Amino acid sequence: MLVVVGVVVAVAVAATGGGGDDKKAPTESTASSPSPSPSLPSGLPSLPTTLPSVVPSLPTDLPTDLVPSGLESLVPTLAADEVPYYMLRKGDCFDTDAALPGQAAKRSCTEPHDAEVVKIAELNGTYTTDATLKKAASALCKAPLERKAAAQAAGTVRNTLVQYPDTGSYKIGIDNVACSLAATVGKGPGRLTARLK
């Protein structure tokens, strides 16, 4: 146990003012006067004089079944440009990969890309199935996606993309919904090459 005791000694000097010239400001005295001598109370433990030189390490043979399966979908190993969909922000452009649902590879909006986020919405309420989450997420995205799609040139946007959490993710606090407009998904022609209007 480490106990630190601090002692603060404060000295105040007051200047008095007045109307007469005969009053002088206080001056420092060089005369010796008794000074307080702070001392530690008796009974306090003494501080250790040496610290351990070896820091213990964590065991390397921990059982692997302690970590629940399925967590890799929440914190996956991603490439530098890949993020989970719930980390996207309005205006982000990205590519999708059917093999990695819920992931987005961020792209420059001036380079060919699959989709652009129109709105990030937040789910509220109690949802017990993935179907009810899907319905609620679609409802949050419907109006903003329709408005944005109507402002685009004909043939520019061909799809909508609504990304939402499953019930397990929602229970642990992931409540973002990414509402995006998309062109042709994949490496083919007809991809988006500029920001949406």
Side-chain angles (χ1 to χ4, degrees):
M1 178 196 298
L2 176 62
V3 177
V4 178
V5 176
V7 177
V8 177
V9 177
V11 177
V13 176
T16 58
D21 289 333
D22 58 339
K23 292 187 181 183
K24 295 184 180 177
T27 59
E28 253 184 61
S29 169
T30 57
S32 115
S33 62
S35 61
S37 60
S39 62
L40 294 176
S42 62
L44 289 177
S46 61
L47 297 175
T49 56
T50 60
L51 294 174
S53 59
V54 177
V55 177
S57 61
L58 293 174
T60 57
D61 58 346
L62 291 174
T64 56
D65 60 347
L66 293 177
V67 178
S69 64
L71 288 181
E72 63 276 356
S73 67
L74 298 176
V75 187
T77 303
L78 302 173
D81 61 351
E82 292 181 353
V83 296
Y85 86 87
Y86 54 83
M87 293 182 72
L88 290 170
R89 300 292 168 245
K90 180 179 177 179
D92 283 349
C93 296
F94 63 96
D95 284 341
T96 60
D97 184 347
L100 296 170
Q103 305 303 320
K106 291 176 87 173
R107 299 288 182 248
S108 167
C109 292
T110 59
E111 299 295 323
H113 56 279
D114 293 338
E116 181 178 328
V117 179
V118 171
K119 178 180 177 124
I120 296 294
E122 188 175 303
L123 290 163
N124 291 304
T126 304
Y127 304 99
T128 56
T129 67
D130 290 342
T132 57
L133 277 166
K134 178 180 180 178
K135 184 177 180 180
S138 296
L140 288 171
C141 292
K142 185 177 188 323
L145 290 177
E146 286 176 350
R147 280 192 303 273
K148 193 71 163 183
Q152 307 310 307
T156 306
V157 177
R158 293 178 182 84
N159 298 300
T160 61
L161 179 61
V162 176
Q163 294 167 295
Y164 58 94
D166 61 12
T167 52
S169 300
Y170 185 69
K171 285 178 185 175
I172 63 168
I174 298 173
D175 56 6
N176 281 357
V177 175
C179 310
S180 305
L181 288 179
T184 302
V185 176
K187 302 290 184 218
R191 299 177 77 210
L192 298 174
T193 56
R195 283 200 174 278
L196 297 172
K197 297 177 185 181

